[in-house]
Amino acid sequence: MEFVDWSDDGPAVVLLDQRALPHETVWLTLRTIDEVVDAIRSLAVRGAPSLGIVGAYGAALACALGTPEAAELVAIARPTAVPLSLGVRRVLTRADDGPAAALEEARAVATEAAVVNARATERAADLVQDLCDGPVRALTVCNTGDLACGPGGSALGAILRLHDRGALTEVLACETRPLLQGARLTVWELARAGAPHRLCVDSAGPAAIASGLVDAVLVGADRIAANGDTANKIGTYSLACAAARSGVPFLVVAPEETIDPGTATGADIVVEERGAEEVRGTTTLADTPVYNPAFDVTPFDLITAVVTEKQVWR
Ligand code: MRU
């Protein structure tokens, strides 16, 4: 399903507001670059591949408004995910050909995402079945379905392919503090797909792996360094440590473009730090100092394979 799209009634970018899920279905119509940037920063739209699509449509909007240079504000709205700036820059290569050409390129970004996702998820589901005997108990973190990636998803998409094949026993979905993309979004997508699942707190994930409740861990990626070190939602590293210790396959499923040849190792990845209020909520003292990294980096030697539309990189 298209959760990020273009509206000719405008021009405008339309998207499902992920902040309102799972209880409300709210569609946003973004008519200015400031609105696009705010939607990205506030996570109305998130997930690396979906950021690529909204980046592309955001650049098309900048062109339609006669301010293509403003697209740069979209490209830098969040620092860690590779596809955001790639989507913007690809559309800007057509800026001189006029708004219609820019929009054509943005639509191509969106269309290609579905093809990429289909290839990567089929390949990842095949690999899981090669590595595991019988139906699979999968664990995942954050949200890597259609909401995060466009049609087909990445890691969650591969899990749902297993479900389609009758090869999925259950999914353990980590809730993903502090913004609960797992509890709000992954559970919503699993319920829509009719896939068996249970929600767990993030700290139960490594324990579930150690207890023998998990056959495979599948996660997405926001940026993969040239050596395979992978930035993904905070909490991923501890899952990878637990999986390595227990001999459980740990797969990263992502579009090939997430592999950034310009980033040599994980040490070069810029990890976004987000606002204190996301962690404080109403739970703690109002002025408590907070450490809130949105991502962590998993070293390549903890990863069984990175699966893209083009390769299984072991
Ligand atoms: O902060 P978010 O929600 O944009 O985080 C990105 C993610 O969705 C995850 O890190 C995901 O596993 C990789 S992108 C599909």
Side-chain angles (χ1 to χ4, degrees), residues 46-49 78 142-144 148-149 154 181 220-222 232-233 295:
R46 33 66 48 206
R78 294 187 74 195
C142 200
N143 171 261
T144 57
C149 305
S154 61
Q181 291 93 333
D222 296 273
N232 193 54
K233 182 54 59 185
F295 307 99

Side-chain angles (χ1 to χ4, degrees), residues 177-178 275-291:
R177 283 276 299 159
E277 68 288 351
E278 290 180 355
V279 174
R280 288 192 197 118
T282 54
T283 310
T284 190
L285 299 177
D287 55 356
T288 303
V290 162
Y291 170 56

Side-chain angles (χ1 to χ4, degrees), residues 66-82:
T67 56
E69 66 285 351
E72 187 56 29
L73 298 172
V74 177
I76 61 170
R78 294 187 74 195
T80 306
V82 182

Side-chain angles (χ1 to χ4, degrees), residues 181-278:
Q181 291 93 333
R184 295 186 301 103
L185 308 176
T186 297
V187 162
W188 184 75
E189 291 196 50
L190 285 165
R192 279 164 57 103
H197 60 277
R198 286 188 286 171
L199 178 65
C200 65
V201 297
D202 294 340
S203 45
I209 294 167
S211 303
L213 298 178
V214 175
D215 301 309
V217 179
L218 291 93
V219 302
D222 296 273
R223 183 176 300 256
I224 303 171
N227 72 339
D229 293 349
T230 294
N232 193 54
K233 182 54 59 185
I234 189 74
T236 302
Y237 171 65
S238 54
L239 297 170
C241 290
R245 186 174 169 88
S246 296
V248 170
F250 184 93
L251 304 189
V252 172
V253 188
E256 183 80 16
E257 69 176 2
T258 316
I259 303 171
D260 178 16
T263 301
T265 75
D268 303 310
I269 295 175
V270 176
V271 172
E272 174 186 10
E273 250 197 79
R274 295 186 58 85
E277 68 288 351
E278 290 180 355

Side-chain angles (χ1 to χ4, degrees), residues 54-69:
V54 78
Y57 282 132
L61 179 63
C63 293
L65 296 173
T67 56
E69 66 285 351

